[in-house]
Amino acid sequence: MKTLLIPVLFLGTTLGLRAEDGHQLWLRARATAPVTVVLPARNSALLTTARQELQLGWQGAAGATVTLSLKNDKAIRYDGFRLSARGVQASTERGLLYGVFELLRRQQTGQPVSAEPSNPSYELRLLNHWDNPDGSVERGYAGKSIFWRKDSALVVTPRDKALWQQYARANASVGINGAVLNNVNASPVILSAEYLGRVKAIADALRPYGVKTYLSVKFSSPVLLGGLKTADPLAPAVVKWWQGKAREIYQQVPDFGGFLVKASSEGQPGPQDYGRTHADGANMLADAVRPYGGLVMWRAFVYSPSDKDRAKQAYNEFVPLDGEFRDNVIIQVKNGPVDFQPREPFSPLFGALKKTAVMPELQITQEYLGHAIDLAYLAPMWEECLQSDTYQAGPGSTVARCTNGSVYRQAHSAMAGVSNVGLDRNWTGHDFAQANWYAFGRLAWNSVAQSAQIAEEWLKLTFQNAAGGAPPPADWNTQFLTPVAQLMLASREAIVDYSMPLGLHHIMSATHDHYGPGPWWAPPRMRADWTPPYYHQAAANGVGFDRTKTGSDAVSQYQEPLASQLNDPATCPDQYLLWFHHLPWTFQMKSGRTLWDELALHYDRGVQQVRQFQRTWDQAQPYVDAERFAAVQNKLRTQSGNAVMWKDACLLYFQQFSHLPIPAAVEPPMHTLEALITYDTPPRPPRPARQP
Ligand code: GCW
């Protein structure tokens, strides 16, 4: 039985054929002991998966018997489970599968089995793929889409199916139970009959691993695909069109999860085009999927060109609608009020919507954190957001508790992560970016999990048995695990330091797709709120965006005592200082230094840190396979150079306004501002000479 099952998974395709290309993620093939699995007596693909996994990964006593039992238990909620010496107990089949993965993870990382129930913090733990039907991936840095491709788009090959299955398996191993298969900038064709055929094939591949399928939809689909004259959510013909579409989808995919919608945002159509509200739009779609148990995730990432503060817009549009949404609608809110910057305060919508389910949206793909070039372990950033206290229902109303049902009653709870997966052999472009996929799942399962523990777990699973299952050398923990975990934990703060410290944000270049510095970037006639000078406001009198009560007053969207704390530069944490304040270059910081000196020291510290990462990684060489060692080493080298560019660009650019010297303790710039600007804004190629 075992040998029959193996070829469909990782072993047959990778082991022995390719060395260490990272394709196996944290699910590495290992030598296993025989195990007998006792399943509930029912026919189920999920249970078959659970048995397969035990047989593929069992590291316990040879010949042991593991029993998977389905039982209702008040202490277990959603797809939670309980482990025991006998096996796994859960109230759903998914719960059994997650319990099996947990059991194996404990064996593989040397942790004891505990009998405490393990319950997910969020009911729904979803990846959002910004994948387009032509195979491209918006903000994707790991190759083309694993779901869609341009050529022979709709032919499903055995290779497609195997890959989708591997993808679903990786998700299941960390408790991710849903995937939105296409970009929120949605193409209407995704809802055409031919595309729905492929959606069905994908759903069939994901289902045995407990991963539900969802789609992003374009609000104007009734016009663009259905030929109607309007997409007005209150028009009967539109309502009917969506009802018909929902029926068609559920015929193909009976357990379809629902729709994700980006509406009235960045040029996408939406209910406001027809004088209707977000609630009108979301509720109409929610009613269409309700008969089948479907959900609508409606994004709050809305802003329109305006001279006012972009950071305030989502709150202003959504808070007045609190309580008007159906209970199968969840408002999906990015962690920060602007846009996935290296550091933002939490979005003030968390906790402020009290009668509406709200879900956090995190970005796993590194749009503003160095693409797949820079090493950025993002769990500390997500932990920072999830543990932020909103004070909306008294102290302790953290973002996590305001969204997972602990503070407010809500019919559904969910968390989404914008995926970093593509066709690259190692799935995520950077070998360490796999850790972010992993960490997202672990945090969605347990919103108080610690990033340090997740990093250690991931490192053990991913690197410990590098030599095909051989035990690691005795000093592996001290020489590899500890220093590399430290590197991971410091990596996000290093990026903040060398790119946007002290609350600076959105000062990247748009020329290079949001990679690299661009504090100057402001082409003529460009929307102001798409340009860095709008955000940093650098001038002779200082730097930073004034969001205080006397500025844009964004600060008042936060609950007290936070609003007052943020409003006063003396009490505003340094890390958010220039987010909320416009301050003179000579402003005295808590450290006693001037703002200018402090800024310069942060930029320099970021650069020095990346150099330290290079050293740490070089020393780890004896403990890593050659292929992954070299790949990471190369990327760190590029990152190191780019960190210097960030530091030089920002310090030299801001110096034009501060007119202050770069402190002696800071490494002097190695680039000129002119060279950096020229690199960022290449001159247009000369027009071809006219034929005489
Ligand atoms: O961060 C911005 C990205 C867009 C993205 C948008 C969004 C999918 O630059 O590429 O579009 O956010 O989240 O909708």
Side-chain angles (χ1 to χ4, degrees), residues 130 138-139 183-185 262 265-266 299 301 334 339-340 361 363 367-368 514:
W130 287 356
E138 184 156 349
R139 312 304 175 188
N183 192 353
V184 289
N185 289 327
K262 170 175 178 178
S265 159
E266 292 189 331
R299 293 175 91 226
F301 179 66
K334 289 188 182 184
D339 190 5
F340 295 140
E361 175 181 322
Q363 196 179 39
E367 177 178 358
Y368 301 100
H514 299 174

Side-chain angles (χ1 to χ4, degrees), residues 3 27 89 442 541 571 594 650:
T3 40
L27 293 161
Q89 184 204 312
R442 300 294 280 152
N541 70 355
T571 51
T594 62
C650 293

